[in-house]
Amino acid sequence: DCVQVTAGTYTVEGNTLRNCGGDGIEITTFGTGHTIAGNTIFSAGDVGILVNRPSTTVQNNVIDGNSNTTTGIQLGGSSGGSVVQNNTIFGIATGDLNEAIEVVAGANGVRILNNNLRDIGFLTPLASRVEGIRIGAANDVEATGNIIFVSDDGNGIEVPAAALRGLLSNNQI
């Protein structure tokens, strides 16, 4: 990882991160109310920003996957109540079933607002799928005002049967 926070409550702001061996920014283990803002991440080896703590704000970041990054922003099961807003993500393309933004099972009450997801899946091999936003088995997730430009093999927004309720509103796909 380029930046890993495992304790306290931190603001990770204004950094430029390149060619990270794992995740660009990883927030796990302890703390609540972290802020990740105004960072630029080029070619993270795995996830651009990985959050697994509640009430974290992820805003105004740029993630250039450069066909290397599997997921732009991932919200783990302990990230309930987090907000992802005004981020720009492009070039997510490696492998199969990757996404620009992923909300995993148990991350209830997450809000995904006004993000610009560009060129998602355009560099993938044939028979691969890359999603704009994937919402796992999490409830009360809101995705509003996002602009999603995804290849024909992927979905702009994918919600499986296990997610029981939420709001998808005013997105452009």
Side-chain angles (χ1 to χ4, degrees), residues 118-140:
R118 304 186 289 121
D119 298 336
I120 306 303
F122 285 92
L123 301 174
T124 46
L126 294 175
S128 294
R129 284 187 43 188
V130 177
E131 317 299 347
I133 298 171
R134 178 179 291 135
I135 299 170
N139 293 313
D140 302 317

Side-chain angles (χ1 to χ4, degrees), residues 29-99:
T29 315
F30 296 104
T32 186
H34 300 282
T35 299
I36 303 169
N39 299 287
T40 301
I41 302 169
F42 295 100
S43 195
D46 191 11
V47 177
I49 298 172
L50 172 61
V51 173
N52 204 21
R53 297 307 308 147
S55 303
T56 296
T57 300
V58 180
Q59 65 186 13
N60 302 320
N61 298 286
V62 175
I63 299 170
D64 179 351
N66 193 25
S67 76
N68 238 358
T69 304
T70 59
T71 300
I73 298 171
Q74 183 180 64
L75 300 159
S78 295
S79 63
S82 292
V83 177
V84 175
Q85 64 186 4
N86 301 320
N87 297 285
T88 299
I89 302 172
F90 54 97
I92 303 301
T94 60
D96 192 18
L97 297 176
N98 298 325
E99 51 284 311

Side-chain angles (χ1 to χ4, degrees), residues 109-167:
V110 168
R111 299 176 66 213
I112 303 167
L113 310 171
N114 305 313
N115 296 283
N116 186 354
L117 312 178
R118 304 186 289 121
D119 298 336
I120 306 303
F122 285 92
L123 301 174
T124 46
L126 294 175
S128 294
R129 284 187 43 188
V130 177
E131 317 299 347
I133 298 171
R134 178 179 291 135
I135 299 170
N139 293 313
D140 302 317
V141 174
E142 175 185 353
T144 300
N146 298 287
I147 298 171
I148 304 168
F149 187 43
V150 66
S151 72
D152 338 351
D153 292 338
N155 297 308
I157 301 173
E158 180 183 62
V159 182
L164 300 178
R165 65 186 171 276
L167 173 65

